[in-house]
Amino acid sequence: DVKVTQSSRYLVKRTGEKVFLECVQDMDHENMFWYRQDPGLGLRLIYFSYDVKMKEKGDIPEGYSVSREKKERFSLILESASTNQTSMYLCASSLLSRGGDGELFFGEGSRLTVL
Amino acid sequence: GQNIDQPTEMTATEGAIVQINCTYQTSGFNGLFWYQQHAGEAPTFLSYNVLDGLEEKGRFSSFLSRSKGYSYLLLKELQMKDSASYLCAYLLYNFNKFYFGSGTKLNVKP
């Protein structure tokens, strides 16, 4: 069975703390993504990666960085957490497919609260 | 989302049929996806259209018109468990990037 695992379902951090959100997939997918989901705004792409050590900014990369040292793992880093980063964070992966049929597989999500 | 629109909320009755519309504006389009998301859970894949026309999968069907930038998800014989948010997303070919609409919250009532 396809599996995308996010390390923490719920986190509470303080303003200014460094936060790591980890994501691991076991499907040998090339593409991995980090989204945040907020009410009324839908899913917004933060960063994505299409290969090891490769990363591309999404639509809202400010305040975030990512790391992809291994194919199966894609980490999202908040260098200095702020209250406006309180959100649900969703990791996803997909096959690199020129046929366009690379559906996304999502992790369970990490709900981050920054106080 | 990136120039992708769908209604915020809809209500329908158990056993009925409901159609959720999605319109989008983009170039380099390579496919239209529908995802279902129950409250507090991750989105799960429902359907995918790349060519014009209707794709049927049991109680769920999805339609695409590329020339009109329009898709809909049709849910038949509604069940209470269909109460969820339905997310429309398109895939950009060149970057394998997905762009999502804000989602349509469907409330199914007895």
Side-chain angles (χ1 to χ4, degrees):
Chain A
D1 229 6
V2 160
K3 200 147 177 81
V4 179
T5 305
Q6 294 184 228
S7 54
S8 306
R9 288 297 303 274
Y10 300 95
L11 299 97
V12 179
K13 298 290 181 180
R14 296 205 175 273
T15 301
E17 279 193 81
K18 192 168 185 176
V19 182
F20 290 89
L21 299 179
E22 305 284 349
C23 175
V24 177
Q25 51 96 1
D26 64 0
M27 298 162 283
D28 203 34
H29 284 170
E30 287 86 358
N31 297 336
M32 295 188 76
F33 306 80
W34 275 105
Y35 289 88
R36 62 177 284 177
Q37 185 175 32
D38 301 287
L41 297 176
L43 276 80
R44 293 180 291 165
L45 183 64
I46 305 171
Y47 266 97
F48 71 103
S49 168
Y50 51 88
D51 202 353
V52 175
K53 297 193 185 296
M54 305 299 288
K55 60 185 180 184
E56 293 283 342
K57 291 181 180 179
D59 301 308
I60 51 164
E62 296 78 19
Y64 303 95
S65 62
V66 289
S67 172
R68 187 128 182 241
E69 295 297 317
K70 293 184 178 180
K71 190 176 185 179
E72 67 271 19
R73 187 180 297 270
F74 192 36
S75 304
L76 181 69
I77 303 150
L78 288 68
E79 293 288 341
S80 177
S82 62
T83 54
N84 63 11
Q85 292 179 310
T86 291
S87 186
M88 169 69 88
Y89 290 88
L90 287 165
C91 174
S93 72
S94 75
L95 271 173
L96 183 66
S97 169
R98 296 202 177 277
D101 56 355
E103 68 181 87
L104 281 175
F105 295 90
F106 284 90
E108 292 293 311
S110 298
R111 184 166 290 283
L112 172 66
T113 302
V114 183
L115 302 175
Chain B
Q2 294 277 321
N3 298 320
I4 184 166
D5 292 307
Q6 49 182 131
T8 304
E9 192 163 356
M10 300 179 71
T11 299
T13 306
E14 192 176 15
I17 299 172
V18 70
Q19 178 174 312
I20 303 173
N21 295 325
C22 172
T23 58
Y24 63 90
Q25 289 181 311
T26 186
S27 57
F29 170 89
N30 202 41
L32 195 292
F33 292 76
W34 284 94
Y35 284 81
Q36 181 191 59
Q37 186 178 26
H38 285 100
E41 298 182 10
T44 54
F45 170 77
L46 281 180
S47 71
Y48 164 70
N49 294 71
V50 65
L51 299 175
D52 285 2
L54 190 68
E55 292 281 341
E56 297 189 71
K57 269 175 129 180
R59 293 190 299 116
F60 293 6
S61 304
S62 58
F63 171 83
L64 176 66
S65 169
R66 296 175 69 117
S67 60
K68 295 181 180 177
Y70 167 68
S71 173
Y72 67 73
L73 180 69
L74 193 71
L75 293 80
K76 302 175 188 174
E77 302 169 16
L78 279 174
Q79 301 175 9
M80 298 299 292
K81 67 178 181 179
D82 297 329
S83 291
S85 287
Y86 292 86
L87 311 177
C88 171
Y90 64 76
L91 174 64
L92 281 183
Y93 170 76
N94 284 344
F95 302 102
N96 270 273
K97 286 170 68 173
F98 291 78
Y99 285 102
F100 284 83
S102 298
T104 299
K105 186 180 178 185
L106 175 64
N107 303 301
V108 180
K109 297 194 170 179

